[in-house]
Amino acid sequence: MRRLLRKSAQSIILLICAYLGAAVIGPLLPSGAGAQAESGTEIRLISGPIHYDFLLPSTEEVRDRFGFANAAGVPIDSPAVEWIVVGWGASQFYRSAESYSNIPLAAIFRAVTGDHAVMRVDVGGPLPPDAPSLTLTLDDQQFALLLDAITEGLSEFPTGPVHYSDAGFTETDAFFAADGRFNALNTCNEWISDTLALAGIEFGRWTPAPFSIRLAHWWHQAR
């Protein structure tokens, strides 16, 4: 029994090391068509406790695209809003607690092994100078493709995107059903890379962790 436990522990350690190694190599492999534009629309990737979200400027075009969130209580059209926050993640994990500090273990296990995806939409005011964010500049075509990639990832019924009313991290956010499934290989951070690739922005091929996002941004766009 002791030998079996030792071998199991060794296997788990090797698996974790392999995952972390791939999470370093994956960001260095290119995904997407090209570099960011010299001028255009500036977006941000904002770092949270465990993942990155998109920060989209609250332009008329963006407010129109995310106008469906008004009915869910997200004040998209408020004049105080400067940024639209968009993230993607596991349904049970994302919706089971009011903060990242008290996520149930069952939700964590479900996220690692596979869960339905949800998209979180929120709003923000002026961004503090020390905000943990990464900057990308997109031309008109890239920005339009980015908005398409994000909004087309929502699961829609005849009445529009499906809103979950049972959870929220802030007083202004809302969760919506999204296409795809979350798991340890297809994470919220990997969704960032996939979405940027659909917009024609070169980024990392596989970016499962926050440090993978930072590495991909530095390697492909900031050097």
Side-chain angles (χ1 to χ4, degrees):
M1 177 63 71
R2 185 176 298 176
R3 173 178 288 184
L4 179 61
L5 290 175
R6 186 185 304 116
K7 287 186 176 181
S8 297
Q10 291 174 343
S11 298
I12 292 173
I13 292 172
L14 288 174
L15 183 61
I16 292 173
C17 289
Y19 186 93
L20 293 176
V24 172
I25 296 173
L28 305 180
L29 303 177
S31 176
Q36 59 179 310
E38 294 184 3
S39 62
T41 302
E42 182 181 279
I43 70 168
R44 302 286 187 96
L45 306 179
I46 185 76
S47 177
I50 59 172
H51 82 160
Y52 275 84
D53 290 321
F54 281 112
L55 281 185
L56 307 175
S58 181
T59 63
E60 182 177 354
E61 178 184 13
V62 175
R63 291 195 304 271
D64 181 65
R65 284 295 192 102
F66 289 90
F68 63 85
N70 278 301
V74 185
I76 297 291
D77 294 330
S78 170
V81 171
E82 293 193 14
W83 298 95
I84 309 299
V85 186
V86 185
W88 185 93
S91 178
Q92 186 174 337
F93 184 97
Y94 233 165
R95 298 165 50 218
S96 62
E98 295 179 354
S99 71
Y100 289 111
S101 62
N102 59 345
I103 302 291
L105 289 177
I108 296 175
F109 179 79
R110 177 78 178 270
V112 171
T113 57
D115 194 5
H116 297 293
V118 292
M119 193 175 295
R120 176 176 174 267
V121 179
D122 200 356
V123 294
L127 198 64
D130 60 346
S133 65
L134 307 171
T135 303
L136 289 167
T137 303
L138 281 59
D139 62 29
D140 290 346
Q141 181 180 15
Q142 291 170 332
F143 189 60
L145 289 172
L146 180 71
L147 294 181
D148 286 343
I150 293 173
T151 55
E152 290 175 4
L154 289 161
S155 299
E156 294 200 26
F157 282 78
T159 55
V162 180
H163 168 227
Y164 293 107
S165 59
D166 59 345
F169 283 2
T170 71
E171 294 182 355
T172 56
D173 69 348
F175 290 89
F176 300 88
D179 296 332
R181 288 185 65 83
F182 181 105
N183 57 55
L185 299 179
N186 188 37
T187 67
C188 40
N189 297 295
E190 172 60 17
W191 175 77
I192 293 284
S193 290
D194 288 344
T195 306
L196 288 172
L198 291 172
I201 300 295
E202 182 178 313
F203 213 70
R205 180 66 59 84
W206 189 59
T207 58
F211 71 81
S212 305
I213 292 288
R214 292 190 291 271
L215 180 56
H217 180 267
W218 172 76
W219 184 257
H220 298 286
Q221 299 295 341
R223 290 194 302 162

